[in-house]
Amino acid sequence: MTQMILRRFLVAIPTIIIVSMLVFGLQKLLPGDPVLAMAGEERDPKVIEFLREKYHLNDPIPVQYGAWVGRVLQGDFGISLRTDVPVTTLIAQKLPVTIQLAIMAMIIAVVIGVPTGILSAVRKGTATDYVANVVALSGLSIPNFWLGILLIFLVSVRLGWLPASGYVPPGQDFWLSIKTMLMPAFVLGTALAASLMRHTRSAMIGILRSDYIRTARAKGLRQGKVVYKHALRNALAPIVTLMTLLFGELLGGAVLTEQIFTIPGFGKLIVDAVFTRDYAVVQGIVLCTAIGFIAMNLLADVLYILINPRLRGS
């Protein structure tokens, strides 16, 4: 098991290096010049030259990349060109917001997707199975931004049940924080629930056809015990792996949802940085998101090994 985890970790290192090169290189291909935006309307040549020297923008791109990587390895992602705030500070402020949103969305997805998938597998070919599949396909097909706008109109404007937008830290008011994040978490969670439902259903159908399940039923075990104690336990490996990967996607894929609900997380931060040509912020956020996703992939491999004892000796 240790050797397998070590191999996965060694594979992740060149992946991170390639990602860092892509992040830095593609950022340079974006149109526009951040220095011109920082210099103001007058754009004094002396100010422009000073800013280029300050942020080392006159150096060759390989030199800029090497200096950037060296700073990143020391935990320094640079300074925001727009706000003059360290990127690490911005990440530390915005990351907890996105993590809270991702956790709540994942909880909603698990609560909806896994039981629905189990029920659909147990009642395969019935009306319940058909309805569950239609609901799952609807969850995958409905765009997040449309569902978010619809919920704001119905739940907030018409009914007044939940705040339409904004964010309150849990430490300031826990229940108000939950209320402000409930709708965006539901928007993200429904799409994840659809994926979880489909994978849970497929995994459970395969397990329920196994010989040991037929043997358990022949022994007279109750349906609930057969499904939850024997079948679900063996179907958990692909489900937990998918949950881990989906959580990694949530950390970088909530851009539209955060924009719609005005949530000051990673998504909104990177959109603002792209529009203002804030290179350092874009590079720092994208690199952190990529590293987080790679880490979640590594965690998925570890969990798969822990759940499936047959792989521990490999």
Side-chain angles (χ1 to χ4, degrees):
M1 175 179 173
T2 304
Q3 293 180 351
M4 191 176 213
I5 295 174
L6 182 60
R7 287 199 300 268
R8 296 288 194 275
F9 181 77
L10 291 177
V11 170
I13 293 177
T15 305
I16 293 175
I17 294 174
I18 294 174
V19 167
S20 69
M21 295 174 65
L22 290 174
V23 168
F24 188 87
L26 293 176
Q27 177 69 24
K28 296 299 182 182
L29 298 178
L30 290 177
D33 190 340
V35 173
L36 296 180
M38 295 171 61
E41 295 182 359
E42 296 183 0
R43 296 181 178 179
D44 188 338
K46 293 183 179 180
V47 174
I48 292 176
E49 185 62 26
F50 169 78
L51 292 173
R52 291 190 185 280
E53 290 294 332
K54 178 181 178 180
Y55 294 105
H56 306 284
L57 297 177
N58 288 329
D59 296 338
I61 291 181
V63 176
Q64 294 182 42
Y65 172 73
W68 176 66
V69 170
R71 293 194 301 269
V72 168
L73 292 176
Q74 298 175 11
D76 180 12
F77 287 89
I79 305 294
S80 171
L81 302 178
R82 182 169 60 94
T83 61
D84 205 33
V85 175
V87 177
T88 50
T89 301
L90 294 174
I91 292 175
Q93 292 173 350
K94 306 300 183 182
L95 183 59
V97 180
T98 300
I99 289 178
Q100 180 185 350
L101 176 60
I103 291 175
M104 291 182 62
M106 184 56 65
I107 291 173
I108 291 173
V110 172
V111 170
I112 297 175
V114 175
T116 306
I118 295 173
L119 182 63
S120 179
V122 172
R123 301 187 179 181
K124 181 178 179 292
T126 64
T128 302
D129 183 27
Y130 177 77
V131 172
N133 278 281
V134 170
V135 172
L137 290 175
S138 300
L140 291 171
S141 304
I142 296 176
N144 286 349
F145 67 88
W146 183 86
L147 181 59
I149 295 172
L150 182 64
L151 286 178
I152 290 174
F153 176 73
L154 293 178
V155 178
S156 299
V157 178
R158 283 296 185 89
L159 301 175
W161 289 349
L162 295 172
S165 61
Y167 174 73
V168 177
Q172 180 177 332
D173 190 327
F174 179 79
W175 291 114
L176 183 57
S177 177
I178 296 298
K179 289 181 179 179
T180 56
M181 296 289 272
L182 191 58
M183 275 200 300
F186 181 80
V187 169
L188 290 173
T190 49
L192 300 183
S195 297
L196 275 176
M197 178 268 168
R198 298 289 296 174
H199 281 77
T200 302
R201 179 181 181 275
S202 298
M204 287 293 294
I205 287 176
I207 296 296
L208 289 173
R209 291 173 178 172
S210 301
D211 293 336
Y212 70 90
I213 295 295
R214 284 195 290 266
T215 303
R217 285 172 172 166
K219 290 180 178 179
L221 295 180
R222 290 178 299 175
Q223 176 74 352
K225 190 173 184 179
V226 172
V227 171
Y228 292 102
K229 184 177 180 180
H230 297 280
L232 182 59
R233 179 182 297 179
N234 288 279
L236 274 179
I239 297 172
V240 172
T241 303
L242 177 65
M243 288 169 52
T244 309
L245 298 178
L246 290 176
F247 187 82
E249 291 182 4
L250 277 175
L251 296 179
V255 176
L256 282 177
T257 304
E258 290 186 1
Q259 284 291 112
I260 292 171
F261 290 95
T262 322
I263 298 174
F266 252 27
K268 193 173 188 307
L269 179 62
I270 193 171
V271 170
D272 294 340
V274 168
F275 278 119
T276 57
R277 303 293 187 270
D278 201 341
Y279 287 170
V281 175
V282 174
Q283 291 168 350
I285 294 175
V286 175
L287 183 61
C288 284
T289 303
I291 292 175
F293 189 76
I294 292 172
M296 296 308 294
N297 273 269
L298 182 61
L299 177 61
D301 291 335
V302 174
L303 291 176
Y304 193 85
I305 295 171
L306 293 175
I307 294 173
N308 192 342
R310 291 174 296 180
L311 297 176
R312 294 179 187 175
S314 58

